[in-house]
Amino acid sequence: AQTVTQSQPEMSVQEAETVTLSCTYDTSESDYYLFWYKQPPSRQMILVIRQEAYKQQNATENRFSVNFQKAAKSFSLKISDSQLGDAAMYFCAYRRIQGAQKLVFGQGTRLTINP
Amino acid sequence: DAGVIQSPRHEVTEMGQEVTLRCKPISGHNSLFWYRQTMMRGLELLIYFNNNVPIDDSGMPEDRFSAKMPNASFSTLKIQPSEPRDSAVYFCASRGWTGITYGYTFGSGTRLTVV
């Protein structure tokens, strides 16, 4: 079974600084998707970024980028120029390409932005 | 589209009572997922449906939990009888074409408190 591990329950960063959230996963599949979701206090789950495992290029969405290391099964999220609105729980998630469509989530990292 | 609609947003019930959570997926999405979120266990998949058919219910905790999807626009998650350990936030999500790609859309969740 696939598992996703986020080893940092909490992180904090100064506004305008850069922070990196860690995620590792375990799978025997060669092709899959990886995601980062943001959950603000409103509880809404918001997709931040998505990475296809067959793509070597790291995904980027504005201030958000990932460092995808397939051999190491590592998928970290970098947030540049942190803003107060970035404060939230962040979840790393995995999904197989073939077969089951379910998302497998990590435990989450609570990110605090200090003004 | 109004997104995935869940009701109620909050539910407080007494131990032993029946609880029914409701979900309306996005029109045209053919997969529906029920997740439970707790501090201890994070986000766990309870069950998911493809084209209204249950595909994987291995995450349903026990016989007290049941889920139905009688048509493409409605699903319920029922707990009978409820217990204090069922207290959690329950999310419904649907998957389908978002206008840009295939993706998941989550509802705002139902916070269930069993006293």
Side-chain angles (χ1 to χ4, degrees):
Chain A
Q2 294 83 17
T3 58
V4 178
T5 302
Q6 294 177 250
S7 58
Q8 306 154 315
E10 296 183 352
M11 292 281 285
S12 64
V13 64
Q14 291 295 126
E15 191 176 4
E17 296 294 309
T18 296
V19 64
T20 298
L21 308 184
S22 300
C23 172
T24 59
Y25 58 94
D26 186 27
T27 182
S28 59
E29 304 282 333
S30 59
D31 288 329
Y32 44 86
Y33 293 109
L34 296 166
F35 307 82
W36 279 97
Y37 279 87
K38 171 185 177 181
Q39 186 181 43
S42 66
R43 294 203 308 246
Q44 192 70 37
M45 293 288 284
I46 303 166
L47 178 65
V48 175
I49 202 165
R50 182 178 95 162
Q51 174 81 41
E52 292 87 351
Y54 55 87
K55 290 185 179 179
Q56 293 188 345
Q57 185 173 4
N58 289 325
T60 299
E61 288 288 340
N62 301 314
R63 297 182 295 108
F64 298 87
S65 62
V66 298
N67 183 5
F68 173 48
Q69 300 290 326
K70 190 173 183 179
K73 296 181 181 176
S74 170
F75 184 61
S76 60
L77 175 69
K78 184 172 81 172
I79 306 174
S80 303
D81 185 25
S82 298
Q83 300 175 1
L84 295 178
D86 295 334
M89 283 288 289
Y90 285 83
F91 292 94
C92 179
Y94 166 100
R95 201 208 101 193
R96 297 172 63 187
I97 287 185
Q98 298 296 333
Q101 300 173 31
K102 62 184 181 182
L103 291 170
V104 178
F105 287 92
Q107 288 291 95
T109 296
R110 182 174 301 280
L111 178 63
T112 302
I113 311 296
N114 300 314
Chain B
D1 202 318
V4 176
I5 300 173
Q6 290 188 246
S7 63
R9 183 159 173 82
H10 304 278
E11 177 80 34
V12 180
T13 191
E14 292 186 347
M15 182 173 61
Q17 297 297 306
E18 176 181 296
V19 176
T20 299
L21 311 181
R22 296 173 175 79
C23 175
K24 177 179 169 53
I26 289 177
S27 177
H29 283 197
N30 59 2
S31 299
L32 183 139
F33 306 80
W34 282 101
Y35 282 87
R36 177 172 67 176
Q37 184 179 21
T38 61
M39 288 293 292
M40 291 299 296
R41 301 172 68 90
L43 278 154
E44 305 172 278
L45 178 70
L46 299 177
I47 185 170
Y48 82 92
F49 298 83
N50 271 357
N51 297 316
N52 314 337
V53 176
I55 302 299
D56 182 355
D57 65 354
S58 59
M60 295 287 264
E62 48 199 271
D63 291 346
R64 297 185 299 106
F65 285 69
S66 62
K68 294 182 180 179
M69 192 166 186
N71 57 62
S73 59
F74 185 65
S75 177
T76 59
L77 178 67
K78 183 178 294 185
I79 308 172
Q80 164 65 19
S82 58
E83 297 182 2
R85 60 191 168 125
D86 302 330
S87 297
V89 179
Y90 291 81
F91 285 98
C92 175
S94 66
R95 180 176 181 268
W97 184 249
T98 64
I100 301 174
T101 184
Y102 278 94
Y104 300 83
T105 303
F106 284 78
S108 297
T110 295
R111 180 177 295 280
L112 173 66
T113 303
V114 184
V115 297

